[in-house]
Amino acid sequence: MNARLDHRNPLVFDTHELGRRPGALQRLTRTVDAPRDLGIQGVVGVPDGTPVELDLRLESVMEGVLVTGTARARAEGECVRCLEPLQLDVEADFQELFSYPDADDRGRVIAEPGDDAEDDEDRFHLEDGLFDLEPVLRDAVVLALPMQPVCQEDCPGLCSECGERLADDPDHHHDAVDIRWAALQGLAGTMSDGEKDEMSGDATRSARVDEKQEK
């Protein structure tokens, strides 16, 4: 059994008005502060304390209370392409059955200990007519968030050469250098000033000889 639920927690809801009458309905709207770490850690999520709007429909059934709802909030993250901060609206739908912890007066059969043990671990239960929506909300929000958020669908990302954000400069490019010329440029860069002067002097003397021969 989980720790006793606190009715003052905004994500804890009371179902006593339904009175265990199958078919009884209750609709609720509530705005709560987002719990800590609501989202995909390190990728995108709803910041702690951000308003989360909840629209809920509670329906009494034989096994417990069926909760159907939608959560809306503003999430924040980082574009996986250009690494710029981003914000996006998230809308998460969910439906979960919160079971009665014991058999009701209509004779619902309780499984013997050990029967469907794994299924029972995945079930949510009512506690004194209360249920905690937080684990359901977390699962729904994580499924609704993108695993690879982008600031815009056609974000071009970053330049692989210099890291410049390409969306800021659509004409951004780097001139391609022929690897054969690059080798010659590298060789020229290693030459000393004296070698360059010597080559220049040889070229000048050669020009003078050619001029005398012509005369």
Side-chain angles (χ1 to χ4, degrees):
M1 182 68 68
N2 296 328
R4 189 173 184 83
L5 298 180
D6 185 353
H7 70 277
R8 295 169 297 182
N9 184 332
L11 285 172
V12 171
F13 293 82
D14 191 335
T15 67
H16 284 99
E17 289 188 17
L18 298 176
R20 285 199 175 190
R21 300 186 305 274
L25 294 175
Q26 183 180 9
R27 296 184 183 275
L28 299 172
T29 59
R30 183 179 295 183
T31 299
V32 302
D33 292 339
R36 191 182 302 275
D37 300 327
L38 181 59
I40 305 172
Q41 189 70 24
V43 180
V44 62
V46 181
D48 182 19
T50 298
V52 179
E53 298 178 2
L54 299 174
D55 291 327
L56 303 179
R57 178 178 182 269
L58 313 185
E59 180 181 1
S60 179
V61 295
M62 290 293 293
E63 298 85 358
V65 175
L66 182 65
V67 179
T68 305
T70 302
R72 300 179 183 86
R74 175 65 61 90
E76 297 180 359
E78 184 179 84
C79 177
V80 296
R81 297 179 188 171
C82 68
L83 307 183
E84 287 293 308
L86 59 81
Q87 292 185 335
L88 56 90
D89 292 325
V90 57
E91 181 172 305
D93 296 324
F94 51 86
Q95 185 176 74
E96 189 63 55
L97 174 66
F98 289 85
S99 303
Y100 297 123
D102 52 6
D104 60 18
D105 54 9
R106 293 169 179 77
R108 184 174 70 88
V109 177
I110 300 179
E112 293 295 330
D115 291 349
D116 299 327
E118 293 184 0
D119 292 341
D120 192 63
E121 290 180 357
D122 295 333
R123 292 177 182 172
F124 294 95
H125 293 88
L126 293 168
E127 181 181 319
D128 295 332
L130 304 176
F131 69 86
D132 184 2
L133 189 65
E134 182 172 338
V136 176
L137 176 64
R138 287 188 179 280
D139 290 345
V141 169
V142 168
L143 291 175
L145 289 170
M147 293 296 294
Q148 295 186 322
V150 291
C151 58
Q152 54 189 30
E153 290 298 327
D154 58 348
C155 174
L158 302 176
C159 174
S160 60
E161 296 287 336
C162 65
E164 183 76 15
R165 186 169 182 264
L166 297 178
D168 296 333
D169 183 8
D171 298 326
H172 180 84
H173 70 281
H174 294 273
D175 294 330
V177 178
D178 192 308
I179 58 174
R180 294 168 296 179
W181 288 111
L184 292 176
Q185 291 174 355
L187 178 62
T190 60
M191 294 177 62
S192 65
D193 292 340
E195 291 174 328
K196 293 180 180 179
D197 292 341
E198 182 178 350
M199 290 182 64
S200 177
D202 290 342
T204 301
R205 286 193 295 271
S206 177
R208 289 176 180 173
V209 171
D210 292 341
E211 183 179 356
K212 290 180 180 180
Q213 290 177 350
E214 290 177 359
K215 291 180 179 180

